Amino acid sequence: MTDQPYQGYDGYDGYDPYRQQPAPQGWPQQQPYDDPQAAQPYTQQWQGQTWETQVQPPVAPPAEETAYMPSQGAGAAYGGYQEPGWGGTQAPAPTQTPAPTQAPAQTPPTDGSEPGYGPATVAGNARITDAQRARLEGRSPIIEPGVQPAGLTALLGLLLAGAAAIGPYALVVPLVALQAVTAAGWFRLNGMWPARQGIALAFAGALTADVALLASGRTPAAILGTLGVWVLLALVLQLRSHADPDERMYGLMATVASAALAIVASGYLASHGDAVTVGAASVAVAVLVRALPLPTPASVAASLLAAAGAGALAGALTGLGSAGALLGAGAAVCALIGHRVASYDYPSRFVHFTAGVALPLAAAAPAVYLLGRALV
């Protein structure tokens, strides 16, 4: 036995596991080993940052993702790249982002409270009005105010009737409330909310008409003069707007109509006190009867008869006599027209408690003034 290391055959110096081997050029070539335990003493040692050789167990994706994942063979991960010399092991596949789910379509409202949108589609869906949707579904686009708005209208009418019996200055208090609700309700009925400038302009015109009436001794010329000035003022303000021409025209018409209704309501202040008492009481009774759950023709006929009866009763108390029945019926006809206008095109609950309350009384003001001058 010699102390020299074994030289092997034909110049082969043997393998020393404790001797540092030079780093290979390029990727190492894997040697096949039948026994995994036998391959451990010959594990190559690298001098630098290399790929991680331990294979992590792949995380199974959810069932909904595997339904859309294509089959991946060896080398499909990382763009089809496979590490050579490592037994064909591949890195874990990147996590696939689940496909976005489509939001559920919004169901249009069935109670007619607020406007909604149609179902979402890929190509888009043009928005239709609630009245058009109601017609397509076989429903009526007319939703009349219920018992609560009718009760508020009756309360406001009785306040007008009682204040008119006291005097013109007492009549101003419920009249100003009527004019404010009229201005706000008309803009909301036309879908223009919030429209603070238009509402303020219409309400300011109504207050101006009230002041002009009281200052001029309640002459009706003050109403016509205020109405003409406010129409010109609304036209000038809309010409200064930077909106589209169609929007400016729409805003002009809404402002003029709201101001006209609020100013015309001042006709109660220009009318005789007895005529206001009879007319306001007749409108209150007519609106209450109209809110009863009856067929439309029967409800209209019943409300007119009830208004005539209430007018006759109020006329007997005020001195108008039987002429109060005619005045009450005429005021009720105008009130039912305003009631119908407030019921059109699926109005919201807010419309019912503004336009539905104020329009019957505001529309009846011209009839009360004209019939009062003719009968008193």
Side-chain angles (χ1 to χ4, degrees):
M1 180 70 65
T2 176
D3 295 335
Q4 297 296 328
Y6 178 70
Q7 300 297 328
Y9 299 97
D10 297 333
Y12 179 72
D13 55 355
Y15 179 79
D16 189 359
Y18 301 100
R19 184 177 61 182
Q20 181 68 32
Q21 298 293 332
Q25 300 294 329
W27 293 94
Q29 300 296 329
Q30 180 181 0
Q31 300 295 331
Y33 295 100
D34 296 336
D35 188 6
Q37 300 296 332
Q40 292 181 1
Y42 305 99
T43 302
Q44 180 67 46
Q45 297 180 1
W46 292 89
Q47 299 294 329
Q49 184 177 3
T50 61
W51 295 93
E52 185 178 359
T53 57
Q54 291 185 352
V55 179
Q56 301 294 334
V59 179
E64 59 270 16
E65 297 184 12
T66 56
Y68 299 96
M69 292 177 58
S71 58
Q72 298 180 0
Y78 294 101
Y81 176 76
Q82 179 180 355
E83 293 179 320
W86 293 95
T89 59
Q90 62 183 31
T95 304
Q96 183 179 359
T97 304
T101 58
Q102 184 180 3
Q106 183 176 0
T107 305
T110 57
D111 55 351
S113 59
E114 294 295 337
Y117 292 90
T121 58
V122 178
N125 185 22
R127 187 174 186 268
I128 62 176
T129 62
D130 295 319
Q132 293 173 346
R133 183 184 296 110
R135 292 188 181 97
L136 291 176
E137 295 176 357
R139 295 181 284 111
S140 174
I142 302 298
I143 299 296
E144 298 177 353
V147 178
Q148 293 180 355
L152 293 177
T153 303
L155 177 61
L156 188 56
L158 292 178
L159 289 177
L160 287 171
I166 298 174
Y169 289 96
L171 181 60
V172 171
V173 177
L175 180 60
V176 169
L178 172 63
Q179 291 167 335
V181 178
T182 302
W186 183 261
F187 274 95
R188 187 62 183 93
L189 182 63
N190 286 267
M192 302 177 65
W193 183 269
R196 293 182 293 270
Q197 295 180 356
I199 294 174
L201 182 62
F203 183 60
L207 294 180
T208 304
D210 296 340
V211 173
L213 281 171
L214 293 176
S216 62
R218 297 194 297 173
T219 58
I223 298 178
L224 298 178
T226 305
L227 184 60
V229 170
W230 244 252
V231 170
L232 181 61
L233 181 60
L235 180 60
V236 172
L237 292 179
Q238 289 298 325
L239 290 177
R240 292 170 55 88
S241 176
H242 299 285
D244 295 335
D246 295 339
E247 295 181 1
R248 283 187 293 178
M249 181 58 67
Y250 188 67
L252 174 63
M253 298 304 296
T255 304
V256 170
S258 178
L261 288 172
I263 292 173
V264 165
S266 300
Y268 287 111
L269 191 59
S271 302
H272 193 274
D274 293 341
V276 175
T277 301
V278 173
S282 301
V283 171
V285 173
V287 174
L288 282 177
V289 175
R290 185 66 178 87
L292 296 178
L294 298 174
T296 301
S299 178
V300 172
S303 62
L304 291 178
L305 291 176
L313 180 59
L317 295 177
T318 57
L320 285 178
S322 60
L326 180 60
L327 193 151
V333 169
C334 296
L336 292 181
I337 294 175
H339 183 272
R340 177 74 174 187
V341 172
S343 307
Y344 181 69
D345 199 3
Y346 260 51
S348 65
R349 185 177 178 87
F350 188 86
V351 173
H352 283 163
F353 280 93
T354 52
V357 171
L359 284 185
L361 287 169
V368 171
Y369 173 76
L370 294 176
L371 292 177
R373 286 182 60 90
L375 297 176
V376 176

